[in-house]
Amino acid sequence: MYDFVVVGAGPPGSRFARRAAAAGRDVLLVEKGTVGEPLACSGHVSDDVWAFVPDDARDRLLQNRVYGARFHVGGPDSTAYPFYKREPVSNVIDRVELDRTLADAARDAGADVREGHTVVSVEERADRVSVEASVADGGTERFEARMVAGCDGPTSRVRRSLGLPEPDELLHGVLAFDDDPDDGDLVDVHLTAPTFFAWRIPRGDAGVEYGLAAPPGEDVSARFDDLTDAYGVTTDRFCSGAIPIGPPDRVTTDRAFLIGDAAAQTKPFTGGGILYGMTAADAAAETIDPTDPDTLADYEAAWRDALGTEIRLGHAIRTCYSLPESVQRAGLWALSGEIGVHMDRPTSVFSPAHLRKLFARSDPPE
């Protein structure tokens, strides 16, 4: 009998497993394939990521430092509206290596980490949860736990097995890579995809990442081809996946809880979920006692207290992506320049630092 079976060894699952194991819990962490594969999302993150990884991992993970973004209403040749800081605001990291580093940290803390275990069913009982997984060699294994943590992504098997509500929406995201090195200081954001955007991220010696997200039904592959054609590049290592937006009203049952993309704990205005998911993982580790199901209500309250306002303001920011082009241009022109905001915290738009920057504009760096 485990205290927790954690399904999914992405950043939220590995973070929770590490924290729970370090607190003396008996933790099993299962991943359906190889940790970190296939690549599921971008590796553009804020400096906050370094608080969640071992100190010696930074040099191994870091690929480039970013000072801001150029926003475009059209393609690469359209007018660019730069938003920047004088110091780095974010990092481009090796996304696959991040997953491996976090899973290793969970293992080092005492969690039992098993790859090649695909969960096929989750049964919730009065005093335990039973989790059945198919194994790479063709067999099956059944695990018993006091609780199960569903950290298994936007189409979560745990969520669907237990009848938990779905996210408000699932976007379709695609990305691919150009291997030509680029250590540029700014990412490019194109407000050209319906209700969302496309992007170009310089990754230093690792090349350039191109991506796009849009609602289901849109031909994202064709739009992605238009983006890369406009930049005149040929990409490879094409990745595709769902991006959950809008957490449901409930992410817990009597003995189960969701973290990360499974709970749609993502930024509505970018789709990014690495930092939000690990923040929620910490909230779960700090509040949930596997011997006391009532503490799941404490988790619901804690993660919403930590992220709820940011998510609500993130939805408001996203509505701006669908404004008429003339309004977008006017707004970008008025607001562009040096900023004082944090890329993961929409509340920082109203911070004294940002308001001072807003009313004391200067020319962007060369």
Side-chain angles (χ1 to χ4, degrees):
M1 171 74 75
Y2 291 96
D3 288 316
F4 297 105
V5 170
V6 183
V7 183
S14 291
R15 177 65 179 182
F16 174 76
R18 176 189 182 185
R19 289 287 310 275
R25 308 299 188 187
D26 194 4
V27 180
L28 171 65
L29 172 61
V30 295
E31 171 60 36
K32 65 181 179 181
T34 300
V35 172
E37 299 178 8
L39 177 68
C41 73
S42 175
H44 182 215
V45 294
S46 71
D47 276 345
D48 289 1
V49 72
W50 305 125
F52 294 91
V53 300
D55 292 339
D56 62 357
R58 184 186 181 108
D59 290 343
R60 184 172 69 253
L61 294 174
L62 182 62
Q63 294 177 328
N64 196 23
R65 304 301 308 274
V66 172
Y67 288 72
R70 287 181 293 255
F71 280 78
H72 307 258
V73 176
D77 295 330
S78 63
T79 300
Y81 302 90
F83 291 73
Y84 66 92
K85 284 187 177 182
R86 299 287 175 174
E87 66 280 353
V89 297
S90 58
N91 311 268
V92 184
I93 61 172
D94 184 331
R95 183 65 180 79
V96 171
E97 187 60 30
L98 174 68
D99 281 16
R100 292 172 178 164
T101 296
L102 293 170
D104 286 344
R107 186 181 291 110
D108 292 343
D112 180 0
V113 181
R114 303 191 191 184
E115 298 177 300
H117 283 63
T118 302
V119 169
V120 295
S121 70
V122 180
E123 297 178 10
E124 194 171 25
R125 300 172 184 171
D127 63 342
R128 67 185 64 194
V129 178
S130 181
V131 179
E132 184 176 357
S134 63
V135 191
D137 64 7
T140 61
E141 290 188 57
R142 183 175 292 273
F143 307 103
E144 305 290 325
R146 292 181 174 84
M147 290 187 179
V148 61
C151 309
D152 48 340
T155 57
S156 170
R157 172 78 64 161
V158 174
R159 185 182 69 226
R160 293 178 176 178
S161 293
L162 298 178
L164 281 163
E166 297 286 314
D168 290 345
E169 62 177 316
L170 288 176
L171 300 179
H172 182 191
V174 297
L175 57 87
F177 303 89
D178 171 21
D179 289 331
D180 288 342
D182 188 333
D183 58 0
D185 292 340
L186 302 175
V187 303
D188 286 280
V189 177
H190 297 270
L191 303 178
T192 51
T195 78
F196 218 67
F197 61 86
W199 63 87
R200 178 187 186 276
I201 300 174
R203 293 159 44 95
D205 291 340
V208 181
E209 174 189 316
Y210 294 87
L212 182 145
E218 296 290 337
D219 192 343
V220 294
S221 294
R223 290 181 178 275
F224 181 80
D225 288 343
D226 290 342
L227 173 71
T228 54
D229 287 347
Y231 273 103
V233 297
T234 300
T235 57
D236 60 11
R237 290 168 286 152
F238 186 86
C239 309
S240 177
I243 301 173
I245 302 292
D249 292 337
R250 179 169 57 94
V251 299
T252 59
T253 63
D254 290 339
R255 290 191 172 272
F257 54 99
L258 306 177
I259 310 176
D261 281 6
Q265 292 161 339
T266 61
K267 294 183 287 185
F269 57 104
T270 70
I274 295 174
L275 270 299
Y276 280 20
M278 290 197 290
T279 298
D282 280 358
E286 291 161 7
T287 56
I288 297 174
D289 178 349
T291 67
D292 182 3
D294 288 345
T295 58
L296 290 170
D298 298 330
Y299 165 61
E300 285 271 23
W303 82 258
R304 293 180 193 278
D305 183 61
L307 299 173
T309 300
E310 305 293 358
I311 290 174
R312 287 191 294 273
L313 287 176
H315 276 294
I317 292 172
R318 186 181 164 201
T319 61
C320 298
Y321 301 165
S322 300
L323 293 173
E325 288 188 9
S326 59
V327 178
Q328 289 179 338
R329 290 193 183 93
L332 290 171
W333 176 83
L335 298 174
S336 62
E338 190 170 2
I339 58 173
V341 300
H342 188 290
M343 66 177 285
D344 292 323
R345 302 174 193 154
T347 51
S348 64
V349 171
F350 305 102
S351 69
H354 177 60
L355 295 177
R356 283 195 298 269
K357 299 289 188 185
L358 190 62
F359 294 107
R361 294 302 191 188
S362 60
D363 293 331
E366 294 295 332

